């Protein structure tokens, strides 16, 4: 429903991360270098942090709005797994910023996503794929997993 085929992508979206964060200068330096390729793009900041008092309807409207933004973005940079995975499914280039690698949280995901951040041993991670125009692209490693999951759901519906 949200995936846009052959859409003209535009804009860079930061989800719950800002280059203003001073605690991670190496992450910011790497992202700033990547963003040079996107200098003509509008930058937008969004968040996934909302008040608990929102109704289900309001929550779904916000989620739908965010998915529509991600579906047409040229690049999304996020600290949120639940932002990165939908971007991957939507075909939107995404970079997951990992401030501190936690094996229980990231194991299995880090192989599927572009990642900039720190390992649990404070080693710097810069695993980003690029196309020939030096634009960020997603790995295709998730596709067999997604296809397998689709097949299981399809078979279960029968």
């Amino acid at each position: 429903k949200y995936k846009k085929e052959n859409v003209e992508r535009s804009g860079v979206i930061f989800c719950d991360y800002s280059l203003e964060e001073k605690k991670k200068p190496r992450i910011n330096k790497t992202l700033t270098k990547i963003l040079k390729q996107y200098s003509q793009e509008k930058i937008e900041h969004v968040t996934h942090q909302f008040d608990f008092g929102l109704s289900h309807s309001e929550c779904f409207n916000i989620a739908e709005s965010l998915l529509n933004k991600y579906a047409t973005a040229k690049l999304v940079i996020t600290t949120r797994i639940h932002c990165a995975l939908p971007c991957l499914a939507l075909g939107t280039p995404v970079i997951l910023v990992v401030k501190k690698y936690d094996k229980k949280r990231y194991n299995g995901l880090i192989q599927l996503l572009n990642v900039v951040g720190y390992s649990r041993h404070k080693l710097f991670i810069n695993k980003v794929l690029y196309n020939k125009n030096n634009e960020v692209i997603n790995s295709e490693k998730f596709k067999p997993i997604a296809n397998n999951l689709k097949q299981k759901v399809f078979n279960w519906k029968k």
Side-chain angles (χ1 to χ4, degrees), residues 62-135:
I62 291 167
E64 188 168 49
S65 173
L66 288 170
L67 286 171
N68 283 321
K69 285 178 191 246
Y70 300 151
T72 59
K74 199 160 196 174
L75 176 64
V76 174
I77 298 170
T78 184
T79 58
R80 305 281 183 183
I81 293 169
H82 58 269
C83 172
L85 290 177
C87 287
L88 197 61
L90 293 167
T92 301
V94 61
I95 297 173
L96 180 66
V97 176
V98 177
K99 296 178 185 179
K100 185 178 177 187
Y101 180 81
D102 175 357
K103 187 175 182 178
K104 290 178 186 175
R105 184 165 191 213
Y106 296 107
N107 196 28
L109 296 175
I110 215 152
Q111 294 82 5
L112 305 176
L113 296 162
N114 293 306
V115 178
V116 173
Y118 291 94
S119 74
R120 62 189 168 121
H121 301 294
K122 297 185 180 175
L123 297 172
F124 190 66
I125 304 166
N126 182 2
K127 186 185 80 67
V128 179
L129 298 175
Y130 302 93
N131 64 15
K132 63 184 177 191
N133 297 326
N134 211 29
E135 295 173 326

Side-chain angles (χ1 to χ4, degrees), residues 133-152:
N133 297 326
N134 211 29
E135 295 173 326
V136 175
I137 57 170
N138 292 328
S139 167
E140 301 280 319
K141 289 181 181 179
F142 77 97
K143 288 190 175 183
I145 298 166
N147 290 335
N148 186 29
L149 184 58
K150 284 179 193 174
Q151 193 61 47
K152 284 181 180 180

Side-chain angles (χ1 to χ4, degrees), residues 44-78:
E44 181 178 357
H45 292 267
V46 299
T47 185
H48 284 204
Q49 296 177 336
F50 298 98
D51 294 330
F52 284 110
L54 295 175
S55 69
H56 285 291
S57 177
E58 290 170 314
C59 290
F60 280 107
N61 288 339
I62 291 167
E64 188 168 49
S65 173
L66 288 170
L67 286 171
N68 283 321
K69 285 178 191 246
Y70 300 151
T72 59
K74 199 160 196 174
L75 176 64
V76 174
I77 298 170
T78 184

